[in-house]
Amino acid sequence: MDKNLHDKVLIVDFGSQVTQLIARRIREEKVYSEIVPFQKAEAAFHAMKPKAVILSGGPASVLDKDAPLAPQAIFDAGVPILGICYGEQAMAVQLGGKVEAGHHREFGRAEVEVVADSPIFDGVWQKGGKYPVWMSHGDRVTELPPGFRVLGSAPNSPISIIGDDARKFYATQFHLEVIHTPDGAALIRNFVRKIAGLTGDWTMRAFKDEAIEKIRAQVGKGRVICGLSGGVDSAVAAVLIHEAIGDQLTCVFVDHGLLRLAEGAKVAALFRDSYNIPLVHVNAEETFLTALAGVDDPEKKRKIIGGLFIDVFDAEAKKIGGADFLAQGTLYPDVIESVSFTGGPSVTIKSHHNVGGLPARMKMKLVEPLRELFKDEVRALGRELGLPEAFVGRHPFPGPGLAIRIPGAVTKEKCDILRLADEIYIEEIRRTGQYDDIWQAFAVLLPVKTVGVMGDGRTYEYVIGLRAVTSVDGMTADFYPFDMKFLGHVATRIINEVKGVNRVVYDVTSKPPGTIEWE
């Protein structure tokens, strides 16, 4: 995508685990946004020439020696700036205010009172009103920088919202980006649309057209192989690339034995029958399961699977006479979650099997046309490309597949048990019309066995865990409130139809801000 054609917002990341939610909120306004670590913010600012800047939250303290700060050039540039949580504290300190170590640490829901009118509240909050927000801080601003005034106050954070209307600088102690601040997205909208004056010119149609031109320019007359996982991301990447370069693309679908039931047939039908894209179907179950034997650490599983994918793609490229590029369905969250953005305060949340580049022995370069997109944007792009809704609307399914839904060592027996249990679960969700109300649902084979009685005999078999969540962003989630009759019916079917299972449990854990993993 030619980002120079669009208005842009730069997000300076100080290490918050929910920074990518800020980017999503901005993109919901059809404005392009990009996250950069604070160390690279000045160079990115000059290169991007953004129309506005947002300073993210983070785990550090501005009172620490060598605390992360924003480049002074950003404050001097005359563009609107919004600070969130740590971003408020950094803004206050850098512009002449004061921050003190909090005697009232605050993590969770709070209530803020609006004490002054401001453009950032326009049409959303009113002076004198009290509104729910999500706090997560230890330090707090105790003295305003010159030119600022207090706009909102909370019991444990008297200076919760500050603003300098003349310079269009605003900041909040609470997190605007999470759904636990119900009006947060509307306040971000006010900042982006009304304060920064951005019109919203970034759409999936524009992205598609620009991505196609970018792919053609990158690939030229070269040959590309695209690794298909069976998920939405790689499928959309493949169709987009095929639209750009046609028969220069060959797709490779690796059946590694860790897929859902009949997944291979579904993928083959989509690409061979609907799109006529050259497809190589590789049966590598034995190779993958042998390599995973006895491995119980989830990160090691991911790395083993990622390495074997590369081996298969390399081998298949040689069979077709060589390839110049390897295409992957890498998304923006994959990139963010796989690195420590700040090099200190934040940590790697999890590795992704398709992030990190290719080994030197491979002679191919990467093509990753979705690398700047979030999952919901990929779905929108898939619809723009004409993919069937039944495929575009599928729940997320991770590349490592069932391997990370089998805690402990992976075996074919466990995969077969989980595959069938998962199929029954999803089938019943679809039958009752609940599938589209759920962001993600799946079964897990728990690493325990329980004693039970089935018929006239005792059993000692596995426990299946069921998970279903609702989410708008894939970062925060609540469990889906199934009717108990439904859960009882699903459990009965699984116990009756899946040999090796004698108990089923449902996970009712919510997923609060700051937690990523739920596989």
Side-chain angles (χ1 to χ4, degrees):
M1 189 195 80
D2 187 353
K3 292 172 283 191
N4 292 324
L5 297 177
H6 302 278
D7 290 338
K8 299 172 289 292
V9 175
L10 172 67
I11 302 167
V12 179
D13 184 31
F14 291 114
S16 169
Q17 291 184 3
V18 291
T19 296
Q20 61 176 279
L21 289 184
I22 304 172
R24 286 196 76 264
R25 297 291 173 258
I26 297 169
R27 292 190 186 185
E28 287 167 4
E29 298 305 312
K30 295 183 173 60
V31 173
Y32 181 77
S33 60
E34 191 167 312
I35 300 169
V36 297
F38 72 92
Q39 306 98 318
K40 299 179 180 179
E42 185 163 2
F45 180 77
H46 292 307
M48 284 179 61
K49 297 179 174 56
K51 296 290 182 66
V53 174
I54 296 182
L55 310 179
S56 86
S61 169
V62 294
L63 304 175
D64 292 342
K65 183 181 179 181
D66 300 323
L69 296 173
Q72 186 59 39
I74 289 177
F75 295 111
D76 296 338
V79 300
I81 301 174
L82 173 64
I84 297 176
C85 197
Y86 181 90
E88 181 199 39
Q89 297 164 11
M91 180 185 289
V93 166
Q94 290 186 254
L95 297 179
K98 187 175 181 181
V99 172
E100 294 181 0
H103 301 291
H104 301 281
R105 288 170 22 126
E106 197 169 21
F107 302 95
R109 288 179 172 84
E111 189 174 67
V112 65
E113 179 180 359
V114 174
V115 299
D117 292 323
S118 170
I120 200 164
F121 302 141
D122 189 25
V124 183
W125 286 354
Q126 295 181 342
K127 182 179 178 181
K130 295 183 178 181
Y131 304 94
V133 299
W134 185 270
M135 294 282 190
S136 180
H137 67 96
D139 303 341
R140 63 186 186 183
V141 177
T142 56
E143 187 176 312
L144 290 174
F148 281 80
R149 60 194 177 111
V150 177
L151 303 178
S153 180
N156 290 330
S157 179
I159 303 178
S160 288
I161 313 173
I162 62 176
D164 179 337
D165 296 327
R167 288 185 287 179
K168 298 184 179 180
F169 290 176
Y170 299 91
T172 67
Q173 181 58 74
F174 51 89
H175 283 275
L176 290 164
E177 67 273 35
V178 301
I179 60 173
H180 300 72
T181 299
D183 296 322
L187 297 176
I188 291 175
R189 181 183 307 121
N190 277 350
F191 175 75
V192 171
R193 294 284 196 165
K194 297 183 178 181
I195 293 171
L198 307 186
T199 57
D201 60 357
W202 195 70
T203 65
M204 279 304 103
R205 176 166 295 183
F207 178 89
K208 182 192 78 169
D209 294 341
E210 293 163 23
I212 287 172
E213 292 304 315
K214 184 177 179 181
I215 292 166
R216 288 172 179 164
Q218 180 184 5
V219 171
K221 297 184 181 298
R223 301 189 69 177
V224 180
I225 62 169
C226 179
L228 295 178
S229 68
V232 176
D233 307 333
S234 60
V236 171
V239 174
L240 177 66
I241 294 168
H242 186 256
E243 190 158 323
I245 61 173
D247 290 343
Q248 292 171 246
L249 170 70
T250 298
C251 289
V252 178
F253 176 69
V254 182
D255 189 343
H256 47 38
L258 305 168
L259 298 169
R260 284 176 162 168
L261 197 66
E263 190 74 23
K266 294 175 185 175
V267 173
L270 176 70
F271 283 88
R272 286 180 176 150
D273 300 342
S274 300
Y275 287 94
N276 197 29
I277 298 176
L279 175 67
V280 178
H281 191 155
V282 181
N283 187 342
E285 179 181 63
E286 184 176 349
T287 300
F288 277 76
L289 291 182
T290 298
L292 290 168
V295 179
D296 58 9
D297 180 82
E299 286 298 295
K300 289 182 180 178
K301 290 179 187 178
R302 289 177 181 274
K303 288 180 170 60
I304 289 170
I305 291 168
L308 289 175
F309 269 134
I310 294 297
D311 291 343
V312 173
F313 297 148
D314 197 23
E316 294 304 319
K318 292 174 182 176
K319 289 180 184 178
I320 64 172
D324 306 286
F325 299 89
L326 173 66
Q328 297 184 147
T330 308
L331 303 190
Y332 200 25
D334 298 340
V335 178
I336 296 168
E337 292 171 3
S338 295
V339 300
S340 173
F341 256 72
T342 63
S346 72
V347 295
T348 299
I349 296 166
K350 64 181 175 183
S351 64
H352 288 259
H353 68 283
N354 61 340
V355 175
L358 298 175
R361 60 183 170 79
M362 295 189 74
K363 304 299 183 182
M364 291 183 279
K365 297 178 181 179
L366 280 174
V367 178
E368 297 174 308
L370 312 182
R371 193 178 175 91
E372 298 168 342
L373 300 185
F374 290 98
K375 175 72 76 173
D376 57 325
E377 294 171 329
V378 173
R379 295 190 197 282
L381 178 59
R383 294 183 182 100
E384 192 70 38
L385 290 164
L387 268 77
E389 186 61 34
F391 202 87
V392 173
R394 297 179 76 197
H395 292 174
F397 187 67
L402 302 181
I404 53 173
R405 291 178 180 172
I406 300 176
V410 178
T411 66
K412 187 178 188 309
E413 177 199 17
K414 290 181 179 179
C415 288
D416 289 340
I417 290 172
L418 180 56
R419 230 186 309 270
L420 184 52
D422 187 78
E423 177 70 11
I424 292 169
Y425 182 37
I426 300 301
E427 180 183 288
E428 288 296 328
I429 290 174
R430 287 190 181 279
R431 183 185 64 81
T432 54
Q434 300 176 94
Y435 189 85
D436 291 338
D437 297 330
I438 297 169
W439 193 83
Q440 186 181 47
F442 56 86
V444 175
L445 184 69
L446 301 179
V448 294
K449 288 186 175 183
T450 63
V451 175
V453 176
M454 298 177 71
D456 296 320
R458 288 167 63 84
T459 63
Y460 183 59
E461 296 178 325
Y462 286 107
V463 178
I464 287 288
L466 303 180
R467 181 88 161 115
V469 294
T470 59
S471 179
V472 296
D473 48 44
M475 286 283 293
T476 60
D478 286 319
F479 66 89
Y480 185 75
F482 283 124
D483 181 86
M484 288 303 297
K485 185 178 180 180
F486 171 83
L487 289 174
H489 175 68
V490 172
T492 298
R493 275 200 65 189
I494 291 174
I495 291 169
N496 286 343
E497 299 177 34
V498 183
K499 186 177 180 180
V501 177
N502 68 2
R503 186 161 300 175
V504 176
V505 298
Y506 183 59
D507 181 3
V508 295
T509 305
S510 292
K511 184 169 171 285
T515 58
I516 300 295
E517 194 80 65
W518 58 31
E519 293 145 4

